[in-house]
Amino acid sequence: MGEVTFTRSKKFKEEELAILERLMGTLIFPLKNALMYRKALDAAMQDSLTGCGNKRAFDSTLHREAEISKRHDHPLSIVSIDIDFFKNINDQFGHAAGDDILKQIVECLTLSARKSDLCFRCGGEEFIIVLNKTNEAGARIIAERLRQAVNKTRFVHRDKIIPLTISLGTATFKNDEKLESLVERSDKALYEAKNSGRNRVVSAEVSKKKTHPVSEQKTA
């Protein structure tokens, strides 16, 4: 936790040391309790498997970022992400492999996104990334970068290579809309991406015909 040093020119007496110990106790125990409380709060906002934020953390973060967006007139976007054919991974390789892949996916997304972008696991294989100060065009660029990063990453479980792709949907916050609407529009864009072939990006603000091109598709 740290160190506290008491010094003076002459040696401390035993009774003085006892007083100092009691005083330190009054400092350390509340501090320990505060740290334990903070740890419990962090655990409540963290996905236990992947280490990224959970649905509760996402709701809190999105609300805060939306207020900042409206106050400072900054753009705000989100990216909804789903792993293509994830059920096949669990069926073919087992749930341990599925869990391992989820952790590797989060690592890939985190490394490929900007440092300011926040990743949350909001369902089994569904993730949402909050992009502050990012408009519609920027969201599509970042989403495409994430898609390509997953395509290029070598996902491995127990020496078995598991090829993966992801589908992504983006939506940009409108100051007069409810946050539920923003998430719903991003979800609809995601499922449009999945229904139109997977392994692609669809923007809620762009027509269905303007999806990003698909590179060579790999499915598990």
Side-chain angles (χ1 to χ4, degrees):
M1 291 177 63
E3 182 179 282
V4 178
T5 304
F6 296 93
T7 60
R8 71 179 189 184
S9 58
K10 61 180 180 178
K11 184 178 179 180
F12 287 100
K13 297 178 182 179
E14 288 297 323
E15 56 268 26
E16 290 176 326
L17 290 174
I19 293 173
L20 289 174
E21 288 179 0
R22 289 197 296 270
L23 290 174
M24 289 302 299
T26 63
L27 169 65
I28 291 173
F29 290 117
L31 181 58
K32 282 186 175 179
N33 289 336
L35 291 174
M36 290 174 62
Y37 178 69
R38 178 57 184 269
K39 188 175 181 179
L41 285 180
D42 289 343
M45 304 287 274
Q46 188 179 62
D47 177 57
S48 58
L49 175 64
T50 64
C52 69
N54 59 17
K55 180 64 165 60
R56 181 178 178 183
F58 166 70
D59 291 337
S60 175
T61 299
L62 186 61
H63 183 271
R64 182 187 70 241
E65 292 296 334
E67 290 300 315
I68 294 173
S69 172
K70 289 187 286 187
R71 186 180 308 122
H72 299 288
D73 196 26
H74 290 159
L76 172 67
S77 298
I78 62 174
V79 182
S80 294
I81 302 169
D82 187 84
I83 303 175
D84 297 330
F85 303 110
F86 183 72
K87 184 177 182 297
N88 291 351
I89 297 175
N90 285 329
D91 292 344
Q92 294 179 26
F93 302 100
H95 288 279
D99 289 348
D100 195 11
I101 289 301
L102 288 173
K103 290 186 281 189
Q104 292 181 51
I105 278 283
V106 167
E107 182 179 6
C108 177
L109 294 176
T110 302
L111 291 174
S112 305
R114 303 170 304 182
K115 290 184 179 180
S116 60
D117 300 334
L118 302 173
C119 181
F120 303 89
R121 184 185 179 199
C122 295
E125 69 272 20
E126 295 185 5
F127 300 87
I128 297 181
I129 296 183
V130 177
L131 311 174
N132 59 15
K133 297 182 181 179
T134 306
N135 60 18
E136 168 197 329
R140 294 201 307 271
I141 291 171
I142 293 171
E144 178 63 14
R145 183 196 307 159
L146 297 175
R147 186 190 72 79
Q148 291 182 15
V150 171
N151 273 358
K152 295 175 182 177
T153 299
R154 188 170 178 264
F155 297 96
V156 179
H157 175 73
R158 294 179 181 173
D159 298 326
K160 294 180 180 178
I161 299 175
I162 303 178
L164 287 180
T165 63
I166 55 175
S167 298
L168 309 93
T170 72
T172 300
F173 181 54
K174 303 172 184 176
N175 283 346
D176 59 344
E177 79 172 323
K178 294 182 178 179
L179 295 180
E180 292 83 357
S181 171
L182 173 66
V183 176
E184 182 180 346
R185 290 193 299 110
S186 182
D187 274 343
K188 285 183 178 179
L190 165 63
Y191 284 102
E192 183 182 328
K194 294 182 75 70
N195 292 333
S196 58
R198 294 182 171 86
N199 187 24
R200 64 187 65 205
V201 175
V202 172
S203 168
E205 284 76 29
V206 180
S207 67
K208 295 182 180 180
K209 295 181 181 180
K210 295 181 180 179
T211 59
H212 281 243
V214 182
S215 62
E216 181 182 354
Q217 188 165 338
K218 300 177 182 178
T219 56

